Amino acid sequence: MKFGDFTDRGLDKQPRDRWPWNEHKLNSYGYRCREWEPMPDGKKNVVVLGCSHTFGQGLKDDEHWVHFLSRHNTLRLRYWNLGVPGASGDACVRRLWGTQQLLDPKIVIMCWPDESRREYADPVHFSVEDDVKNFLHNVWWVEKFAEIYRCKVFHCFAHEVRQNHPDLKGLNILKDYTLKNCWPYWDSRTQREQFEKPSLARDGKHFGVEHHKRFAELFLDYFRLKLR
């Protein structure tokens, strides 16, 4: 089924010859994962959606958080990084529904971009309240996808955290931590050296490998027993 940009089988092709896509190893559709045609046999498919931070802009193939996450439970799980530079929450949800007959995901991990982003621009300025409403609208569609296709959903955030909103009670949400705020940090056992500045990727803009590695560790600490 397909109407305009919306389909239940297919993902939009990314401009592989343009920056920043052309700086990274991609599949034929421009995503930072293996080819899905033909689809490998066996294992549950895990789709990870998000913006440039999930894509891993400015980082090598073994430096972004989806890479670190994808080393977990590899006998049962196969990971697909569907992060896209500049993506909005709206676009992430649209791509999720496009995976239904393409990848048939059994686990969905949504790393939400900034709430202020919209896939389709509107000349009217959106308020913070509008951003929250749109975010909750997108969460609804993700959870509805999981309900219909009987898969697990996990939510996390690149920047801000909305886990305390009452409508999100009971969802699988990585609380307190985001890709942004997880580094630098200090504790007496694992990180005794104090850092005062964030780690940056080679582009000097996106978060560096220290952010990504710790974010994946925090995610697994929180959801390890459910990722199977």
Side-chain angles (χ1 to χ4, degrees):
M1 182 168 63
K2 185 179 188 303
F3 296 96
D5 294 332
F6 294 84
T7 178
D8 58 1
R9 181 179 174 81
L11 292 169
D12 49 327
K13 285 192 173 184
Q14 303 303 311
R16 299 173 70 243
D17 59 339
R18 288 174 47 193
W19 181 87
W21 289 268
N22 60 7
E23 294 186 340
H24 303 281
K25 182 180 178 181
L26 309 169
N27 71 9
S28 59
Y29 272 72
Y31 293 86
R32 209 163 182 183
C33 58
R34 70 189 75 193
E35 300 288 346
W36 48 70
E37 294 177 344
M39 175 59 61
D41 293 330
K43 299 186 181 182
K44 294 180 180 179
N45 287 324
V46 182
V47 297
V48 188
L49 299 112
C51 60
S52 55
H53 297 292
T54 297
F55 176 83
Q57 187 169 333
L59 297 170
K60 296 179 180 178
D61 291 341
D62 60 353
E63 291 181 335
H64 55 80
W65 75 274
V66 182
H67 162 75
F68 294 115
L69 180 68
S70 67
R71 298 188 295 184
H72 170 71
N73 199 6
T74 56
L75 293 178
R76 294 173 60 91
L77 304 178
R78 182 189 300 110
Y79 297 80
W80 303 86
N81 185 349
L82 303 183
V84 173
S88 63
D90 304 337
C92 292
V93 172
R94 176 174 59 79
R95 291 189 179 101
L96 170 61
W97 283 82
T99 68
Q100 191 265 312
Q101 295 187 52
L102 183 70
L103 298 170
D104 186 26
K106 297 305 178 187
I107 296 177
V108 174
I109 300 174
M110 184 69 75
C111 187
W112 291 100
D114 288 336
E115 294 173 359
S116 60
R117 291 184 181 179
R118 296 290 198 283
E119 181 164 32
Y120 300 104
D122 192 301
V124 178
H125 176 69
F126 290 103
S127 66
V128 173
E129 183 180 359
D130 291 327
D131 291 340
V132 174
K133 287 181 179 179
N134 191 63
F135 165 67
L136 294 175
H137 174 254
N138 284 327
V139 172
W140 188 91
W141 278 111
V142 172
E143 292 294 327
K144 178 56 67 174
F145 181 96
E147 179 184 291
I148 293 172
Y149 301 115
R150 299 182 180 181
C151 57
K152 297 178 183 178
V153 176
F154 301 90
H155 302 271
C156 56
F157 298 82
H159 288 94
E160 304 304 324
V161 178
R162 286 286 180 188
Q163 83 273 19
N164 292 323
H165 194 286
D167 288 359
L168 304 182
K169 185 177 181 180
L171 301 185
N172 291 317
I173 296 179
L174 178 61
K175 296 184 177 179
D176 301 324
Y177 295 104
T178 67
L179 189 60
K180 178 181 179 180
N181 73 16
C182 70
W183 182 276
Y185 77 103
W186 181 92
D187 66 49
S188 60
R189 292 176 295 175
T190 61
Q191 180 58 43
R192 303 191 68 174
E193 183 178 359
Q194 295 191 34
F195 294 87
E196 297 181 355
K197 296 181 179 180
S199 164
L200 294 177
R202 277 173 293 281
D203 62 4
K205 177 180 179 181
H206 291 82
F207 303 124
V209 61
E210 288 83 4
H211 285 260
H212 284 256
K213 185 175 182 180
R214 184 160 191 257
F215 188 66
E217 291 171 350
L218 291 166
F219 189 95
L220 288 173
D221 285 347
Y222 211 79
F223 295 124
R224 186 181 305 274
L225 296 179
K226 294 183 178 181
L227 282 174
R228 57 186 182 181

